[in-house]
Amino acid sequence: EAQVTQNPRYLITVTGKKLTVTCSQNMNHEYMSWYRQDPGLGLRQIYYSMNVEVTDKGDVPEGYKVSRKEKRNFPLILESPSPNQTSLYFCASSSTAGWGSYNSPLHFGNGTRLTVT
Amino acid sequence: QKEVEQDPGPLSVPEGAIVSLNCTYSNSAFQYFMWYRQYSRKGPELLMYTYSSGNKEDGRFTAQVDKSSKYISLFIRDSQPSDSATYLCANRGGSNYKLTFGKGTLLTVNP
């Protein structure tokens, strides 16, 4: 089954304790991206990657790091989490061929709910 | 002005009603217009996609784009309880791969 898998689904941590949220896709997609979703603010892009070893900042990159060493994996790293990073996080992927078309939509994972106390 | 504006609702309708969901956008470069549906505790999934002005129909769903007024709509006919979800409009334009999302409208269809 084609899917984007995020882990963990739920995470509670304390301020300053480094954490990694993993994301893996099995569709051989070039493009991957991280979003955070907050009430009243909607989905905001954190980082994206056009392909292996190519990453770029989205709209809200502060406090986050990413890496793309393999095509299928795109982990999100919070080096020193703070309470304002409490949010629902989504990883997404897409083929870049015909990107944005009906045949190449963004595929989202089921989210990681992070709470930083 | 935000690039994509969407009334967050919530919107509650009886089963069988016609639902109208709307977004406005400010960036004339937007060329692709999409609606994503997000069920509770799930990630968004693509529901409708259109490239140009006009209507596109898929079963009970119709996406409408008016580029002259920068207005996009999603109509749901004969709404069902299974349509209860958050609906997000999304636009894309230019040469980059960024999608700009609206904040989403929470829809509840009551049986």
Side-chain angles (χ1 to χ4, degrees):
Chain A
E1 180 189 354
Q3 59 186 2
V4 177
T5 303
Q6 295 178 229
N7 281 296
R9 287 296 306 273
Y10 301 91
L11 179 58
I12 301 174
T13 189
V14 296
T15 299
K17 186 175 182 181
K18 181 180 178 180
L19 66 91
T20 299
V21 183
T22 64
C23 174
S24 180
Q25 50 93 5
N26 62 359
M27 296 167 279
N28 201 37
H29 284 165
E30 297 88 358
Y31 179 85
M32 297 186 74
S33 181
W34 277 102
Y35 293 85
R36 59 179 290 174
Q37 188 174 39
D38 302 287
L41 296 175
L43 273 169
R44 294 179 293 168
Q45 190 178 48
I46 303 170
Y47 268 95
Y48 65 96
S49 169
M50 298 293 291
N51 214 323
V52 176
E53 301 293 1
V54 180
T55 63
D56 211 343
K57 296 177 181 179
D59 297 317
V60 288
E62 294 78 20
Y64 305 95
K65 285 176 56 177
V66 293
S67 69
R68 188 90 182 272
K69 294 184 171 56
E70 305 166 281
K71 198 172 188 179
R72 63 183 292 128
N73 295 323
F74 191 44
L76 179 70
I77 302 156
L78 285 72
E79 294 269 1
S80 183
S82 62
N84 65 12
Q85 293 178 298
T86 293
S87 187
L88 180 58
Y89 291 86
F90 287 101
C91 180
S93 73
S94 174
S95 167
T96 53
W99 199 100
S101 72
Y102 196 78
N103 291 326
S104 186
L106 268 182
H107 293 261
F108 284 84
N110 281 328
T112 295
R113 185 165 293 282
L114 171 65
T115 302
V116 183
T117 60
Chain B
Q1 182 185 8
K2 294 199 182 302
E3 285 196 296
V4 179
E5 299 270 10
Q6 183 176 8
D7 186 343
L11 186 60
S12 181
V13 301
E15 183 175 353
I18 297 174
V19 176
S20 172
L21 303 168
N22 307 297
C23 283
T24 58
Y25 65 94
S26 58
N27 189 342
S28 299
F30 287 145
Q31 298 172 309
Y32 302 92
F33 305 91
M34 287 149 269
W35 286 93
Y36 278 77
R37 178 175 61 194
Q38 184 178 15
Y39 290 116
S40 179
R41 300 196 187 100
K42 295 286 189 179
E45 57 180 354
L46 183 65
L47 179 65
M48 294 285 288
Y49 161 89
T50 183
Y51 171 70
S52 59
S53 282
N55 293 352
K56 183 174 182 178
E57 195 171 312
D58 184 0
R60 296 185 293 109
F61 298 89
T62 299
Q64 187 175 82
V65 177
D66 182 346
K67 285 188 177 179
S68 62
S69 58
K70 298 188 179 69
Y71 197 82
I72 59 177
S73 301
L74 177 70
F75 298 98
I76 308 174
R77 291 184 300 280
D78 187 26
S79 57
Q80 302 295 308
S82 58
D83 295 329
S84 297
T86 296
Y87 290 81
L88 303 110
C89 60
N91 301 350
R92 183 204 155 207
S95 59
N96 64 53
Y97 290 82
K98 179 183 173 182
L99 272 185
T100 302
F101 286 90
K103 293 179 182 178
T105 300
L106 176 60
L107 170 67
T108 302
V109 181
N110 301 299

